[in-house]
Amino acid sequence: PADFEIIAMDLPGFGLTGPHPKGIYSTEMSVQFLDDFLTKIGVDTFHLAGNSMGGGIAWAYTLAHPERVKKLVLIDAGGYPKESKKTISGFKVLQYKFLNPLITKITPRSIIKQSLAGTYVDQSFANEKEVDLYMDMICREGNRQVLIDRMKTPRVDRSSSIKNITHPTLVMWGAEDIIIPATHAKKFHKSLPNSELIIYPNVGHLPMDEVGEQSAEDVRRFLLDKI
């Protein structure tokens, strides 16, 4: 039998969930949405994992609702201020405000492909089927406006509060991540008083894709470990 039941969800503005009705994309909204969702489906306590922005929401949720989270898994997670202005092409385009009206109507496939390629070391993962999937999700009604609204949402640095998370935490990272560099993994590990760090060589922003079996086994071992 499986060791765990896995619950995956799309936050407002991602995948097929669609835009937030009020256009709100703050961390506080995401934390509240996640809490309401879990309450609605009757899940009281759980292990919580998140990648990238989802990782940032995961640790923020853990701080807000520590009694509900048993263990935390952070995968190339957001949380610390950027150390440089380097970014992949898709995000770079969003920074040009004069292009915003165009972005809501036209999404060049080439930009999606370049952005996806920037998340991987092994470029076989940025294949045409994967590009099609991302295109379909981004072109869902309202989602392109979300990209702009999210960029406009003020970013608040809450990294000083990370040290207050005492839950057992697994920090997993791709050594070659160019979106959130592995230096951030070491910051998390240093700040979190009860953490384990795994950095995967020759892997980018999405270890669960590039080293899927290994990363899944690492998470399984961590969650089953009696601490």
Side-chain angles (χ1 to χ4, degrees):
D3 294 307
F4 304 100
E5 177 184 3
I6 299 174
I7 301 170
M9 57 169 286
D10 292 328
L11 288 165
F14 288 92
L16 301 178
T17 296
H20 187 281
K22 295 183 179 180
I24 302 171
Y25 300 103
S26 64
T27 298
E28 290 81 2
M29 179 281 294
S30 297
V31 167
Q32 186 62 55
F33 185 92
L34 177 58
D35 196 56
D36 291 344
F37 169 77
L38 291 165
T39 300
K40 181 75 174 177
I41 65 173
V43 176
D44 296 321
T45 59
F46 44 86
H47 303 300
L48 184 59
N51 167 247
S52 196
M53 181 187 297
I57 293 166
W59 67 255
Y61 182 93
T62 303
L63 281 170
H65 303 280
E67 73 288 351
R68 300 192 73 175
V69 179
K70 293 190 281 188
K71 291 185 180 182
L72 179 64
V73 179
L74 301 178
I75 311 167
D76 296 68
Y80 290 96
K82 276 189 155 188
E83 297 162 348
S84 73
K85 294 184 178 180
K86 184 179 179 181
T87 187
I88 58 178
S89 58
F91 296 120
K92 197 176 295 183
V93 169
L94 291 171
Q95 294 171 359
Y96 300 118
K97 294 182 180 179
F98 67 90
L99 290 176
N100 285 358
L102 192 61
I103 291 169
T104 60
K105 297 178 175 61
I106 301 172
T107 304
R109 183 184 175 85
S110 59
I111 289 180
I112 301 301
K113 184 164 184 148
Q114 289 171 21
S115 298
L116 192 58
T119 64
Y120 296 114
V121 172
D122 183 349
Q123 292 301 293
S124 69
F125 286 93
N127 54 58
E128 295 305 314
K129 183 178 180 181
E130 197 74 359
V131 175
D132 287 341
L133 175 62
Y134 275 76
M135 282 290 293
D136 287 345
M137 291 190 292
I138 288 173
C139 291
R140 184 234 188 260
E141 184 180 355
N143 275 4
R144 285 183 282 194
Q145 181 62 48
V146 172
L147 295 173
I148 297 167
D149 292 342
R150 192 179 297 119
M151 288 296 289
K152 291 178 180 177
T153 302
R155 299 184 182 183
V156 180
D157 179 11
R158 300 179 178 86
S159 58
S160 62
S161 62
I162 292 172
K163 65 180 182 295
N164 297 322
I165 298 172
T166 58
H167 299 64
T169 303
L170 176 60
V171 180
M172 311 167 71
W173 227 272
E176 305 303 323
D177 188 346
I178 63 172
I179 298 174
I180 307 178
T183 52
H184 288 219
K186 295 173 183 177
K187 288 181 180 180
F188 272 109
H189 183 47
K190 183 177 180 180
S191 295
L192 291 162
N194 190 10
S195 66
E196 175 185 342
L197 173 63
I198 300 176
I199 297 180
Y200 299 102
N202 301 313
V203 171
H205 190 58
L206 305 174
M208 60 280 194
D209 285 349
E210 289 195 88
V211 284
E213 290 187 11
Q214 180 62 56
S215 59
E217 180 54 35
D218 289 336
V219 171
R220 178 181 177 277
R221 184 263 314 156
F222 170 73
L223 295 182
L224 289 175
D225 187 25
K226 305 294 184 184
I227 297 179

mmCIF file with all atom_site columns, all heavy atoms in Angstrom, residues 91-112:
data_model
loop_
_atom_site.group_PDB
_atom_site.id
_atom_site.type_symbol
_atom_site.label_atom_id
_atom_site.label_alt_id
_atom_site.label_comp_id
_atom_site.label_asym_id
_atom_site.label_entity_id
_atom_site.label_seq_id
_atom_site.pdbx_PDB_ins_code
_atom_site.Cartn_x
_atom_site.Cartn_y
_atom_site.Cartn_z
_atom_site.occupancy
_atom_site.B_iso_or_equiv
_atom_site.pdbx_formal_charge
_atom_site.auth_seq_id
_atom_site.auth_comp_id
_atom_site.auth_asym_id
_atom_site.auth_atom_id
_atom_site.pdbx_PDB_model_num
ATOM 1   N N   . PHE A 1 91  ? 9.938  35.903 -17.547 1.00 0.00 ? 91  PHE A N   1
ATOM 2   C CA  . PHE A 1 91  ? 9.771  36.861 -16.467 1.00 0.00 ? 91  PHE A CA  1
ATOM 3   C C   . PHE A 1 91  ? 10.282 38.236 -16.875 1.00 0.00 ? 91  PHE A C   1
ATOM 4   O O   . PHE A 1 91  ? 9.767  39.262 -16.452 1.00 0.00 ? 91  PHE A O   1
ATOM 5   C CB  . PHE A 1 91  ? 10.509 36.383 -15.209 1.00 0.00 ? 91  PHE A CB  1
ATOM 6   C CG  . PHE A 1 91  ? 9.965  35.098 -14.645 1.00 0.00 ? 91  PHE A CG  1
ATOM 7   C CD1 . PHE A 1 91  ? 10.775 33.982 -14.529 1.00 0.00 ? 91  PHE A CD1 1
ATOM 8   C CD2 . PHE A 1 91  ? 8.645  35.007 -14.244 1.00 0.00 ? 91  PHE A CD2 1
ATOM 9   C CE1 . PHE A 1 91  ? 10.275 32.796 -14.011 1.00 0.00 ? 91  PHE A CE1 1
ATOM 10  C CE2 . PHE A 1 91  ? 8.136  33.824 -13.716 1.00 0.00 ? 91  PHE A CE2 1
ATOM 11  C CZ  . PHE A 1 91  ? 8.962  32.713 -13.608 1.00 0.00 ? 91  PHE A CZ  1
ATOM 12  N N   . LYS A 1 92  ? 11.311 38.256 -17.707 1.00 0.00 ? 92  LYS A N   1
ATOM 13  C CA  . LYS A 1 92  ? 11.898 39.520 -18.147 1.00 0.00 ? 92  LYS A CA  1
ATOM 14  C C   . LYS A 1 92  ? 10.887 40.330 -18.948 1.00 0.00 ? 92  LYS A C   1
ATOM 15  O O   . LYS A 1 92  ? 10.763 41.542 -18.796 1.00 0.00 ? 92  LYS A O   1
ATOM 16  C CB  . LYS A 1 92  ? 13.140 39.236 -18.992 1.00 0.00 ? 92  LYS A CB  1
ATOM 17  C CG  . LYS A 1 92  ? 14.063 40.428 -19.173 1.00 0.00 ? 92  LYS A CG  1
ATOM 18  C CD  . LYS A 1 92  ? 15.312 40.028 -19.946 1.00 0.00 ? 92  LYS A CD  1
ATOM 19  C CE  . LYS A 1 92  ? 16.155 39.041 -19.168 1.00 0.00 ? 92  LYS A CE  1
ATOM 20  N NZ  . LYS A 1 92  ? 17.400 38.694 -19.874 1.00 0.00 ? 92  LYS A NZ  1
ATOM 21  N N   . VAL A 1 93  ? 10.131 39.655 -19.818 1.00 0.00 ? 93  VAL A N   1
ATOM 22  C CA  . VAL A 1 93  ? 9.123  40.331 -20.643 1.00 0.00 ? 93  VAL A CA  1
ATOM 23  C C   . VAL A 1 93  ? 8.062  40.989 -19.771 1.00 0.00 ? 93  VAL A C   1
ATOM 24  O O   . VAL A 1 93  ? 7.605  42.093 -20.052 1.00 0.00 ? 93  VAL A O   1
ATOM 25  C CB  . VAL A 1 93  ? 8.469  39.318 -21.614 1.00 0.00 ? 93  VAL A CB  1
ATOM 26  C CG1 . VAL A 1 93  ? 7.245  39.937 -22.284 1.00 0.00 ? 93  VAL A CG1 1
ATOM 27  C CG2 . VAL A 1 93  ? 9.465  38.870 -22.666 1.00 0.00 ? 93  VAL A CG2 1
ATOM 28  N N   . LEU A 1 94  ? 7.685  40.329 -18.666 1.00 0.00 ? 94  LEU A N   1
ATOM 29  C CA  . LEU A 1 94  ? 6.644  40.863 -17.787 1.00 0.00 ? 94  LEU A CA  1
ATOM 30  C C   . LEU A 1 94  ? 7.069  42.154 -17.095 1.00 0.00 ? 94  LEU A C   1
ATOM 31  O O   . LEU A 1 94  ? 6.230  42.903 -16.609 1.00 0.00 ? 94  LEU A O   1
ATOM 32  C CB  . LEU A 1 94  ? 6.272  39.821 -16.724 1.00 0.00 ? 94  LEU A CB  1
ATOM 33  C CG  . LEU A 1 94  ? 5.532  38.582 -17.238 1.00 0.00 ? 94  LEU A CG  1
ATOM 34  C CD1 . LEU A 1 94  ? 5.433  37.547 -16.130 1.00 0.00 ? 94  LEU A CD1 1
ATOM 35  C CD2 . LEU A 1 94  ? 4.157  38.933 -17.749 1.00 0.00 ? 94  LEU A CD2 1
ATOM 36  N N   . GLN A 1 95  ? 8.367  42.412 -17.047 1.00 0.00 ? 95  GLN A N   1
ATOM 37  C CA  . GLN A 1 95  ? 8.859  43.615 -16.382 1.00 0.00 ? 95  GLN A CA  1
ATOM 38  C C   . GLN A 1 95  ? 8.651  44.870 -17.224 1.00 0.00 ? 95  GLN A C   1
ATOM 39  O O   . GLN A 1 95  ? 8.736  45.984 -16.725 1.00 0.00 ? 95  GLN A O   1
ATOM 40  C CB  . GLN A 1 95  ? 10.341 43.446 -16.048 1.00 0.00 ? 95  GLN A CB  1
ATOM 41  C CG  . GLN A 1 95  ? 10.597 42.359 -15.006 1.00 0.00 ? 95  GLN A CG  1
ATOM 42  C CD  . GLN A 1 95  ? 12.066 42.034 -14.829 1.00 0.00 ? 95  GLN A CD  1
ATOM 43  O OE1 . GLN A 1 95  ? 12.924 42.597 -15.497 1.00 0.00 ? 95  GLN A OE1 1
ATOM 44  N NE2 . GLN A 1 95  ? 12.357 41.103 -13.932 1.00 0.00 ? 95  GLN A NE2 1
ATOM 45  N N   . TYR A 1 96  ? 8.370  44.689 -18.524 1.00 0.00 ? 96  TYR A N   1
ATOM 46  C CA  . TYR A 1 96  ? 8.141  45.839 -19.409 1.00 0.00 ? 96  TYR A CA  1
ATOM 47  C C   . TYR A 1 96  ? 6.654  46.175 -19.417 1.00 0.00 ? 96  TYR A C   1
ATOM 48  O O   . TYR A 1 96  ? 5.858  45.549 -20.121 1.00 0.00 ? 96  TYR A O   1
ATOM 49  C CB  . TYR A 1 96  ? 8.640  45.529 -20.815 1.00 0.00 ? 96  TYR A CB  1
ATOM 50  C CG  . TYR A 1 96  ? 10.118 45.217 -20.883 1.00 0.00 ? 96  TYR A CG  1
ATOM 51  C CD1 . TYR A 1 96  ? 10.576 43.971 -21.310 1.00 0.00 ? 96  TYR A CD1 1
ATOM 52  C CD2 . TYR A 1 96  ? 11.069 46.173 -20.507 1.00 0.00 ? 96  TYR A CD2 1
ATOM 53  C CE1 . TYR A 1 96  ? 11.930 43.680 -21.363 1.00 0.00 ? 96  TYR A CE1 1
ATOM 54  C CE2 . TYR A 1 96  ? 12.420 45.888 -20.554 1.00 0.00 ? 96  TYR A CE2 1
ATOM 55  C CZ  . TYR A 1 96  ? 12.842 44.648 -20.984 1.00 0.00 ? 96  TYR A CZ  1
ATOM 56  O OH  . TYR A 1 96  ? 14.180 44.354 -21.024 1.00 0.00 ? 96  TYR A OH  1
ATOM 57  N N   . LYS A 1 97  ? 6.268  47.185 -18.641 1.00 0.00 ? 97  LYS A N   1
ATOM 58  C CA  . LYS A 1 97  ? 4.857  47.508 -18.455 1.00 0.00 ? 97  LYS A CA  1
ATOM 59  C C   . LYS A 1 97  ? 4.156  47.889 -19.757 1.00 0.00 ? 97  LYS A C   1
ATOM 60  O O   . LYS A 1 97  ? 2.959  47.638 -19.911 1.00 0.00 ? 97  LYS A O   1
ATOM 61  C CB  . LYS A 1 97  ? 4.718  48.632 -17.426 1.00 0.00 ? 97  LYS A CB  1
ATOM 62  C CG  . LYS A 1 97  ? 5.163  48.221 -16.024 1.00 0.00 ? 97  LYS A CG  1
ATOM 63  C CD  . LYS A 1 97  ? 4.969  49.336 -15.023 1.00 0.00 ? 97  LYS A CD  1
ATOM 64  C CE  . LYS A 1 97  ? 5.431  48.895 -13.629 1.00 0.00 ? 97  LYS A CE  1
ATOM 65  N NZ  . LYS A 1 97  ? 5.266  49.979 -12.638 1.00 0.00 ? 97  LYS A NZ  1
ATOM 66  N N   . PHE A 1 98  ? 4.873  48.487 -20.702 1.00 0.00 ? 98  PHE A N   1
ATOM 67  C CA  . PHE A 1 98  ? 4.233  48.903 -21.952 1.00 0.00 ? 98  PHE A CA  1
ATOM 68  C C   . PHE A 1 98  ? 3.763  47.708 -22.782 1.00 0.00 ? 98  PHE A C   1
ATOM 69  O O   . PHE A 1 98  ? 2.937  47.846 -23.689 1.00 0.00 ? 98  PHE A O   1
ATOM 70  C CB  . PHE A 1 98  ? 5.183  49.791 -22.776 1.00 0.00 ? 98  PHE A CB  1
ATOM 71  C CG  . PHE A 1 98  ? 6.396  49.085 -23.316 1.00 0.00 ? 98  PHE A CG  1
ATOM 72  C CD1 . PHE A 1 98  ? 6.364  48.468 -24.563 1.00 0.00 ? 98  PHE A CD1 1
ATOM 73  C CD2 . PHE A 1 98  ? 7.568  49.026 -22.581 1.00 0.00 ? 98  PHE A CD2 1
ATOM 74  C CE1 . PHE A 1 98  ? 7.483  47.818 -25.058 1.00 0.00 ? 98  PHE A CE1 1
ATOM 75  C CE2 . PHE A 1 98  ? 8.685  48.365 -23.073 1.00 0.00 ? 98  PHE A CE2 1
ATOM 76  C CZ  . PHE A 1 98  ? 8.647  47.760 -24.309 1.00 0.00 ? 98  PHE A CZ  1
ATOM 77  N N   . LEU A 1 99  ? 4.274  46.517 -22.447 1.00 0.00 ? 99  LEU A N   1
ATOM 78  C CA  . LEU A 1 99  ? 3.868  45.306 -23.162 1.00 0.00 ? 99  LEU A CA  1
ATOM 79  C C   . LEU A 1 99  ? 2.662  44.615 -22.520 1.00 0.00 ? 99  LEU A C   1
ATOM 80  O O   . LEU A 1 99  ? 2.106  43.673 -23.095 1.00 0.00 ? 99  LEU A O   1
ATOM 81  C CB  . LEU A 1 99  ? 5.027  44.309 -23.227 1.00 0.00 ? 99  LEU A CB  1
ATOM 82  C CG  . LEU A 1 99  ? 6.219  44.683 -24.124 1.00 0.00 ? 99  LEU A CG  1
ATOM 83  C CD1 . LEU A 1 99  ? 7.308  43.636 -23.976 1.00 0.00 ? 99  LEU A CD1 1
ATOM 84  C CD2 . LEU A 1 99  ? 5.781  44.784 -25.579 1.00 0.00 ? 99  LEU A CD2 1
ATOM 85  N N   . ASN A 1 100 ? 2.238  45.093 -21.349 1.00 0.00 ? 100 ASN A N   1
ATOM 86  C CA  . ASN A 1 100 ? 1.179  44.412 -20.611 1.00 0.00 ? 100 ASN A CA  1
ATOM 87  C C   . ASN A 1 100 ? -0.110 44.208 -21.394 1.00 0.00 ? 100 ASN A C   1
ATOM 88  O O   . ASN A 1 100 ? -0.683 43.115 -21.377 1.00 0.00 ? 100 ASN A O   1
ATOM 89  C CB  . ASN A 1 100 ? 0.874  45.174 -19.311 1.00 0.00 ? 100 ASN A CB  1
ATOM 90  C CG  . ASN A 1 100 ? 1.964  44.952 -18.276 1.00 0.00 ? 100 ASN A CG  1
ATOM 91  O OD1 . ASN A 1 100 ? 2.907  44.219 -18.509 1.00 0.00 ? 100 ASN A OD1 1
ATOM 92  N ND2 . ASN A 1 100 ? 1.836  45.595 -17.135 1.00 0.00 ? 100 ASN A ND2 1
ATOM 93  N N   . PRO A 1 101 ? -0.618 45.235 -22.110 1.00 0.00 ? 101 PRO A N   1
ATOM 94  C CA  . PRO A 1 101 ? -1.856 45.009 -22.873 1.00 0.00 ? 101 PRO A CA  1
ATOM 95  C C   . PRO A 1 101 ? -1.701 43.915 -23.924 1.00 0.00 ? 101 PRO A C   1
ATOM 96  O O   . PRO A 1 101 ? -2.643 43.170 -24.201 1.00 0.00 ? 101 PRO A O   1
ATOM 97  C CB  . PRO A 1 101 ? -2.111 46.376 -23.528 1.00 0.00 ? 101 PRO A CB  1
ATOM 98  C CG  . PRO A 1 101 ? -1.401 47.356 -22.651 1.00 0.00 ? 101 PRO A CG  1
ATOM 99  C CD  . PRO A 1 101 ? -0.164 46.632 -22.198 1.00 0.00 ? 101 PRO A CD  1
ATOM 100 N N   . LEU A 1 102 ? -0.509 43.812 -24.488 1.00 0.00 ? 102 LEU A N   1
ATOM 101 C CA  . LEU A 1 102 ? -0.264 42.799 -25.517 1.00 0.00 ? 102 LEU A CA  1
ATOM 102 C C   . LEU A 1 102 ? -0.183 41.402 -24.917 1.00 0.00 ? 102 LEU A C   1
ATOM 103 O O   . LEU A 1 102 ? -0.689 40.428 -25.491 1.00 0.00 ? 102 LEU A O   1
ATOM 104 C CB  . LEU A 1 102 ? 1.041  43.128 -26.250 1.00 0.00 ? 102 LEU A CB  1
ATOM 105 C CG  . LEU A 1 102 ? 1.345  42.358 -27.536 1.00 0.00 ? 102 LEU A CG  1
ATOM 106 C CD1 . LEU A 1 102 ? 0.273  42.619 -28.574 1.00 0.00 ? 102 LEU A CD1 1
ATOM 107 C CD2 . LEU A 1 102 ? 2.712  42.749 -28.076 1.00 0.00 ? 102 LEU A CD2 1
ATOM 108 N N   . ILE A 1 103 ? 0.426  41.309 -23.725 1.00 0.00 ? 103 ILE A N   1
ATOM 109 C CA  . ILE A 1 103 ? 0.612  40.020 -23.076 1.00 0.00 ? 103 ILE A CA  1
ATOM 110 C C   . ILE A 1 103 ? -0.722 39.358 -22.764 1.00 0.00 ? 103 ILE A C   1
ATOM 111 O O   . ILE A 1 103 ? -0.844 38.128 -22.800 1.00 0.00 ? 103 ILE A O   1
ATOM 112 C CB  . ILE A 1 103 ? 1.455  40.198 -21.789 1.00 0.00 ? 103 ILE A CB  1
ATOM 113 C CG1 . ILE A 1 103 ? 2.900  40.560 -22.156 1.00 0.00 ? 103 ILE A CG1 1
ATOM 114 C CG2 . ILE A 1 103 ? 1.435  38.932 -20.933 1.00 0.00 ? 103 ILE A CG2 1
ATOM 115 C CD1 . ILE A 1 103 ? 3.731  41.004 -20.986 1.00 0.00 ? 103 ILE A CD1 1
ATOM 116 N N   . THR A 1 104 ? -1.747 40.155 -22.452 1.00 0.00 ? 104 THR A N   1
ATOM 117 C CA  . THR A 1 104 ? -3.052 39.574 -22.110 1.00 0.00 ? 104 THR A CA  1
ATOM 118 C C   . THR A 1 104 ? -3.753 38.984 -23.326 1.00 0.00 ? 104 THR A C   1
ATOM 119 O O   . THR A 1 104 ? -4.737 38.251 -23.179 1.00 0.00 ? 104 THR A O   1
ATOM 120 C CB  . THR A 1 104 ? -3.979 40.637 -21.484 1.00 0.00 ? 104 THR A CB  1
ATOM 121 O OG1 . THR A 1 104 ? -4.181 41.703 -22.414 1.00 0.00 ? 104 THR A OG1 1
ATOM 122 C CG2 . THR A 1 104 ? -3.378 41.182 -20.199 1.00 0.00 ? 104 THR A CG2 1
ATOM 123 N N   . LYS A 1 105 ? -3.262 39.285 -24.533 1.00 0.00 ? 105 LYS A N   1
ATOM 124 C CA  . LYS A 1 105 ? -3.910 38.803 -25.750 1.00 0.00 ? 105 LYS A CA  1
ATOM 125 C C   . LYS A 1 105 ? -3.035 37.846 -26.559 1.00 0.00 ? 105 LYS A C   1
ATOM 126 O O   . LYS A 1 105 ? -3.539 36.951 -27.239 1.00 0.00 ? 105 LYS A O   1
ATOM 127 C CB  . LYS A 1 105 ? -4.303 39.990 -26.634 1.00 0.00 ? 105 LYS A CB  1
ATOM 128 C CG  . LYS A 1 105 ? -5.322 40.926 -25.993 1.00 0.00 ? 105 LYS A CG  1
ATOM 129 C CD  . LYS A 1 105 ? -5.610 42.099 -26.910 1.00 0.00 ? 105 LYS A CD  1
ATOM 130 C CE  . LYS A 1 105 ? -6.713 42.979 -26.320 1.00 0.00 ? 105 LYS A CE  1
ATOM 131 N NZ  . LYS A 1 105 ? -6.359 43.547 -25.026 1.00 0.00 ? 105 LYS A NZ  1
ATOM 132 N N   . ILE A 1 106 ? -1.717 38.041 -26.481 1.00 0.00 ? 106 ILE A N   1
ATOM 133 C CA  . ILE A 1 106 ? -0.802 37.237 -27.291 1.00 0.00 ? 106 ILE A CA  1
ATOM 134 C C   . ILE A 1 106 ? 0.286  36.649 -26.406 1.00 0.00 ? 106 ILE A C   1
ATOM 135 O O   . ILE A 1 106 ? 0.916  37.370 -25.633 1.00 0.00 ? 106 ILE A O   1
ATOM 136 C CB  . ILE A 1 106 ? -0.146 38.083 -28.405 1.00 0.00 ? 106 ILE A CB  1
ATOM 137 C CG1 . ILE A 1 106 ? -1.219 38.683 -29.318 1.00 0.00 ? 106 ILE A CG1 1
ATOM 138 C CG2 . ILE A 1 106 ? 0.836  37.247 -29.210 1.00 0.00 ? 106 ILE A CG2 1
ATOM 139 C CD1 . ILE A 1 106 ? -0.672 39.680 -30.321 1.00 0.00 ? 106 ILE A CD1 1
ATOM 140 N N   . THR A 1 107 ? 0.501  35.353 -26.519 1.00 0.00 ? 107 THR A N   1
ATOM 141 C CA  . THR A 1 107 ? 1.572  34.693 -25.771 1.00 0.00 ? 107 THR A CA  1
ATOM 142 C C   . THR A 1 107 ? 2.432  33.909 -26.756 1.00 0.00 ? 107 THR A C   1
ATOM 143 O O   . THR A 1 107 ? 2.057  32.816 -27.177 1.00 0.00 ? 107 THR A O   1
ATOM 144 C CB  . THR A 1 107 ? 1.008  33.729 -24.711 1.00 0.00 ? 107 THR A CB  1
ATOM 145 O OG1 . THR A 1 107 ? 0.116  34.439 -23.852 1.00 0.00 ? 107 THR A OG1 1
ATOM 146 C CG2 . THR A 1 107 ? 2.132  33.129 -23.882 1.00 0.00 ? 107 THR A CG2 1
ATOM 147 N N   . PRO A 1 108 ? 3.558  34.485 -27.190 1.00 0.00 ? 108 PRO A N   1
ATOM 148 C CA  . PRO A 1 108 ? 4.422  33.772 -28.145 1.00 0.00 ? 108 PRO A CA  1
ATOM 149 C C   . PRO A 1 108 ? 4.905  32.443 -27.580 1.00 0.00 ? 108 PRO A C   1
ATOM 150 O O   . PRO A 1 108 ? 5.406  32.380 -26.458 1.00 0.00 ? 108 PRO A O   1
ATOM 151 C CB  . PRO A 1 108 ? 5.590  34.749 -28.354 1.00 0.00 ? 108 PRO A CB  1
ATOM 152 C CG  . PRO A 1 108 ? 5.049  36.077 -27.966 1.00 0.00 ? 108 PRO A CG  1
ATOM 153 C CD  . PRO A 1 108 ? 4.080  35.811 -26.855 1.00 0.00 ? 108 PRO A CD  1
ATOM 154 N N   . ARG A 1 109 ? 4.739  31.403 -28.342 1.00 0.00 ? 109 ARG A N   1
ATOM 155 C CA  . ARG A 1 109 ? 5.180  30.076 -27.917 1.00 0.00 ? 109 ARG A CA  1
ATOM 156 C C   . ARG A 1 109 ? 6.676  30.061 -27.634 1.00 0.00 ? 109 ARG A C   1
ATOM 157 O O   . ARG A 1 109 ? 7.150  29.369 -26.731 1.00 0.00 ? 109 ARG A O   1
ATOM 158 C CB  . ARG A 1 109 ? 4.833  29.069 -29.010 1.00 0.00 ? 109 ARG A CB  1
ATOM 159 C CG  . ARG A 1 109 ? 5.177  27.627 -28.660 1.00 0.00 ? 109 ARG A CG  1
ATOM 160 C CD  . ARG A 1 109 ? 4.881  26.693 -29.837 1.00 0.00 ? 109 ARG A CD  1
ATOM 161 N NE  . ARG A 1 109 ? 5.307  25.350 -29.541 1.00 0.00 ? 109 ARG A NE  1
ATOM 162 C CZ  . ARG A 1 109 ? 4.592  24.454 -28.886 1.00 0.00 ? 109 ARG A CZ  1
ATOM 163 N NH1 . ARG A 1 109 ? 3.379  24.784 -28.469 1.00 0.00 ? 109 ARG A NH1 1
ATOM 164 N NH2 . ARG A 1 109 ? 5.060  23.241 -28.648 1.00 0.00 ? 109 ARG A NH2 1
ATOM 165 N N   . SER A 1 110 ? 7.430  30.874 -28.387 1.00 0.00 ? 110 SER A N   1
ATOM 166 C CA  . SER A 1 110 ? 8.883  30.899 -28.221 1.00 0.00 ? 110 SER A CA  1
ATOM 167 C C   . SER A 1 110 ? 9.278  31.364 -26.820 1.00 0.00 ? 110 SER A C   1
ATOM 168 O O   . SER A 1 110 ? 10.259 30.870 -26.237 1.00 0.00 ? 110 SER A O   1
ATOM 169 C CB  . SER A 1 110 ? 9.525  31.815 -29.263 1.00 0.00 ? 110 SER A CB  1
ATOM 170 O OG  . SER A 1 110 ? 9.022  33.138 -29.151 1.00 0.00 ? 110 SER A OG  1
ATOM 171 N N   . ILE A 1 111 ? 8.521  32.305 -26.251 1.00 0.00 ? 111 ILE A N   1
ATOM 172 C CA  . ILE A 1 111 ? 8.821  32.802 -24.906 1.00 0.00 ? 111 ILE A CA  1
ATOM 173 C C   . ILE A 1 111 ? 8.554  31.717 -23.875 1.00 0.00 ? 111 ILE A C   1
ATOM 174 O O   . ILE A 1 111 ? 9.335  31.514 -22.934 1.00 0.00 ? 111 ILE A O   1
ATOM 175 C CB  . ILE A 1 111 ? 7.995  34.063 -24.590 1.00 0.00 ? 111 ILE A CB  1
ATOM 176 C CG1 . ILE A 1 111 ? 8.513  35.246 -25.421 1.00 0.00 ? 111 ILE A CG1 1
ATOM 177 C CG2 . ILE A 1 111 ? 8.051  34.398 -23.101 1.00 0.00 ? 111 ILE A CG2 1
ATOM 178 C CD1 . ILE A 1 111 ? 7.775  36.534 -25.186 1.00 0.00 ? 111 ILE A CD1 1
ATOM 179 N N   . ILE A 1 112 ? 7.456  30.984 -24.050 1.00 0.00 ? 112 ILE A N   1
ATOM 180 C CA  . ILE A 1 112 ? 7.137  29.887 -23.130 1.00 0.00 ? 112 ILE A CA  1
ATOM 181 C C   . ILE A 1 112 ? 8.233  28.832 -23.196 1.00 0.00 ? 112 ILE A C   1
ATOM 182 O O   . ILE A 1 112 ? 8.695  28.320 -22.175 1.00 0.00 ? 112 ILE A O   1
ATOM 183 C CB  . ILE A 1 112 ? 5.777  29.265 -23.471 1.00 0.00 ? 112 ILE A CB  1
ATOM 184 C CG1 . ILE A 1 112 ? 4.670  30.317 -23.403 1.00 0.00 ? 112 ILE A CG1 1
ATOM 185 C CG2 . ILE A 1 112 ? 5.476  28.101 -22.520 1.00 0.00 ? 112 ILE A CG2 1
ATOM 186 C CD1 . ILE A 1 112 ? 4.515  30.985 -22.075 1.00 0.00 ? 112 ILE A CD1 1
#
